Amino acid sequence: MAPLGVGALLGLVLACGCGGAAASAVPEDAPDDRAPAAEARVASVVAVAPALPTPALARVVADAPAVRKSWGHADADPSNDLEPGPPPPLADCEKRLAAAGVTFKTARVGTSRHVDGVPRCGAGQVVRFKRGPGKISYSSSPLLTCQMALALADFERVVQDEAVAHLGSRVVKIEHLGTFNCRKMALYDLVSEHSYANGVDLRRFILADGRVVDVLKHFRPTGEEAADPRTLFLRRLGNRLFDEDVFSNVVTPYFDSAHRNHIHVDMARYRVDGTRPQ
Ligand SMILES: [Zn+2]
C-alpha cells in the first residue's frame, strides 16, 4: 500500500466528527445490494488524493505483522481493506466475552440500506459492555460490536499495565465521547467506524488515587521527550494498543487537531497508526 493509499484515505474517516451528535437508529435493512461500486468509489477517492492537504495523515502500515501479538484482535488481512462495514458476527460471541471476563447485555441496533454497495449504519451483532477484566467503569456503558467488545477487554489489561507502570495507580473509570454514531466524513462518501458501533473515543482516565489523565491536557503531541508521567502513560498506551494489535486503528492527538482531546480506537478492516509524530 502506498503512503497515500486507501488505508490513509479511509483513515480520514476517523477525523469525521468524533464525539459529535447522538446516535441515530435506522430502519432494518433492505436487500443487500453490495456491488462493485464500493471499490469504484474508493478508487475515485484515491484518484483525487494528491489534491488533499495530507501532512497530518497517519503512517499507514502496509504489511500485516507476520506474528500476531499477545493481545491481538486487529484485522491484519490487507486483502479486505476496501470492504467497509461492521465486522462479521461471531457465532460464539457470548462464550468468548464470558471467557474474556466481560459482563455485558446483548443489544440491537438497526442497519441501514446499503448505498452504492456500502453499508451506511448499524451492525448485526452488538453488545452493551458493562464490565471488563480491568474492573473499569465507563461514563456510559459502551455499545459495541462483539469484536470491539473483545478488544476492549484486552485494552483494559494493557491500560492497567501502563497505569501501574507510569502512574503507580490503577484506572477505575474512563470517560468516553461515544461509540455508536451514524455519520460519514465530510469530504467523501465514506463511513466512520462509529456508524457500525465499531469504535470508541477515549477522553479521560480517572485513577484509583483520584488523579485524572486528560488527553487534551496531558497528551502534548510534540516530538519532545515527555517529562510528565501522564504524558508518558498516554503515549505508551497508544503505541501498545497499535503495536500489539489490540485494535485495528489507534488515533491520538499526533494524528490531527480533530483528535486533540481523545484517543480513537476501532476495529476497521484497514489499519492506521496514529500514535506517533507525523
Ligand atoms: Zn472516533
Side-chain angles (χ1 to χ4, degrees), residues 14-15 17-19 178 183 192 194 199-201 259 262-266:
L14 303 167
C18 288
R183 58 173 179 262
S192 164
H194 288 286
V200 62
D201 296 326
H259 294 84
H262 66 276
I263 297 174
H264 166 103
V265 294
D266 72 49

Side-chain angles (χ1 to χ4, degrees), residues 158-169 207 209 211 213 226-237 240:
V158 175
V159 82
Q160 298 295 22
D161 278 358
E162 294 302 317
V164 170
H166 292 290
L167 303 165
S169 184
L207 304 177
D209 64 9
R211 282 178 292 167
V213 182
D228 189 328
R230 292 168 294 191
T231 305
L232 287 170
F233 161 73
L234 290 170
R235 289 183 181 181
R236 176 65 178 157
L237 175 63
R240 282 193 64 187

Side-chain angles (χ1 to χ4, degrees), residues 150-230:
L150 287 166
L152 200 67
D154 281 329
F155 154 81
E156 290 196 357
R157 301 178 199 278
V158 175
V159 82
Q160 298 295 22
D161 278 358
E162 294 302 317
V164 170
H166 292 290
L167 303 165
S169 184
R170 291 171 61 84
V171 172
V172 294
K173 181 175 181 180
I174 289 176
E175 295 178 6
H176 68 89
L177 292 169
T179 56
F180 180 46
N181 184 352
C182 293
R183 58 173 179 262
K184 61 183 180 180
M185 60 187 296
L187 293 177
Y188 301 102
D189 202 9
L190 294 172
V191 182
S192 164
E193 290 300 308
H194 288 286
S195 293
Y196 309 131
N198 203 31
V200 62
D201 296 326
L202 309 164
R203 181 169 65 167
R204 290 195 188 99
F205 302 81
I206 291 90
L207 304 177
D209 64 9
R211 282 178 292 167
V212 175
V213 182
D214 184 310
V215 175
L216 179 64
K217 292 179 182 173
H218 301 123
F219 192 94
R220 294 172 189 160
T222 72
E224 297 169 11
E225 191 72 22
D228 189 328
R230 292 168 294 191

